[in-house]
Amino acid sequence: MNIAVFASGRGTNLQAIIDAVKRGRIKANLALVVSDNKNAYALKRAGRAKIKTLVIDARNFKTRQDFDQEVSRHLEQERIDLIILAGFMRILSPWFVSKYKNRILNIHPALLPSFKGAHAIQDAFNCGVKITGVTVHFVDKLTDHGPIILQGELKLKEADTLKSLEARIHKLEHKLYPEAIRLFTQGRIKIKGRRVKIV
Ligand code: GRF
């Protein structure tokens, strides 16, 4: 199975996936890292792991779908089977999402459907929740919405600050995402409507 990881930033989740592949925990080929940000640290991580990279500047495309079509051309070239969104800060077009239906995974740093959006950890913290966590889900046409594959929970500690909570969330992400990808590559994820069964 050929995997492409899409990342716009630091790429700590990408790193966790690279490490899981190296350890043989995920048996797949990390074929491509795609970024819309040429300065993303994720690209350095890809380089160190000798993974092919593709940087695409959104300013060169008129519409969201034009951008996605160009990405898709590269995915076809690399015969990509599975797309992993790991801090990719762009919304994908409905065209792209339906082309890769049930083959795009995303990780979100909250227990969906609570705290959708780009500031989930802070929003949950400011809301004063007692429990929060991480969600790995399939991507559909709505943001932070598709069928849920795995969730991990965290109990807030009295002493937690936003910073400590962020660190705990990221640590959980780095366990949960490789696990979900492992299940996918083993063909153990079955989707029925909104419900995902691990077999
Ligand atoms: C993670 O918190 C993930 O949940 C969210 O974006 C962040 C990416 O972090 N979708 P990193 O670039 O993998 O370090």
Side-chain angles (χ1 to χ4, degrees):
M1 188 174 287
N2 290 320
I3 298 179
V5 179
F6 289 22
S8 306
R10 300 177 306 163
T12 63
N13 281 284
L14 167 65
Q15 189 64 54
I17 298 161
I18 291 172
D19 294 345
V21 170
K22 266 197 199 138
R23 285 200 307 271
R25 181 131 180 88
I26 297 172
K27 291 191 175 44
N29 174 36
L30 278 178
L32 188 65
V33 169
V34 177
S35 187
D36 59 336
N37 170 15
K38 67 177 182 353
N39 299 316
Y41 192 71
L43 292 168
K44 292 223 165 62
R45 298 180 191 273
R48 279 207 295 265
K50 305 207 166 28
I51 302 168
K52 210 183 255 186
T53 57
L54 169 69
V55 180
I56 309 200
D57 188 339
R59 286 171 300 194
N60 297 336
F61 299 88
K62 256 225 207 91
T63 68
R64 197 169 285 287
Q65 186 168 324
D66 289 344
F67 176 97
D68 289 355
Q69 272 169 345
E70 176 65 9
V71 174
S72 175
R73 215 171 50 73
H74 289 269
L75 299 180
E76 278 170 19
Q77 255 169 28
E78 301 296 330
R79 300 180 184 285
I80 298 299
D81 306 294
L82 172 64
I83 296 160
I84 302 296
L85 306 185
F88 190 59
M89 299 311 286
R90 276 181 68 79
I91 308 254
L92 297 166
S93 60
W95 173 83
F96 187 91
V97 172
S98 65
K99 177 157 186 192
Y100 293 95
K101 185 161 192 262
N102 297 342
R103 289 192 290 149
I104 312 172
L105 269 51
N106 183 42
I107 189 157
H108 184 74
L111 293 175
L112 290 175
S114 292
F115 305 110
K116 295 178 178 176
H119 310 287
I121 305 176
Q122 190 172 357
D123 292 346
F125 183 77
N126 289 344
C127 178
V129 296
K130 301 288 185 194
I131 298 176
T132 183
V134 170
T135 304
V136 179
H137 65 95
F138 283 105
V139 171
D140 67 6
K141 287 176 190 170
L142 301 175
T143 307
D144 300 330
H145 177 269
I148 291 168
I149 302 169
L150 292 179
Q151 288 187 306
E153 65 169 51
L154 274 186
K155 284 206 170 87
L156 274 280
K157 295 176 183 164
E158 202 62 48
D160 262 325
T161 58
L162 176 57
K163 211 160 171 234
S164 71
L165 179 61
E166 278 169 353
R168 294 176 66 208
I169 290 275
H170 293 314
K171 198 168 162 205
L172 183 55
E173 288 186 325
H174 302 156
K175 264 176 51 188
L176 207 71
Y177 217 178
E179 175 60 11
I181 297 166
R182 188 178 73 91
L183 293 169
F184 188 98
T185 57
Q186 291 176 334
R188 293 174 56 197
I189 297 179
K190 305 285 175 223
I191 317 171
K192 209 173 169 199
R194 272 213 59 91
R195 216 161 279 279
V196 171
K197 208 166 138 189
I198 310 291
V199 294

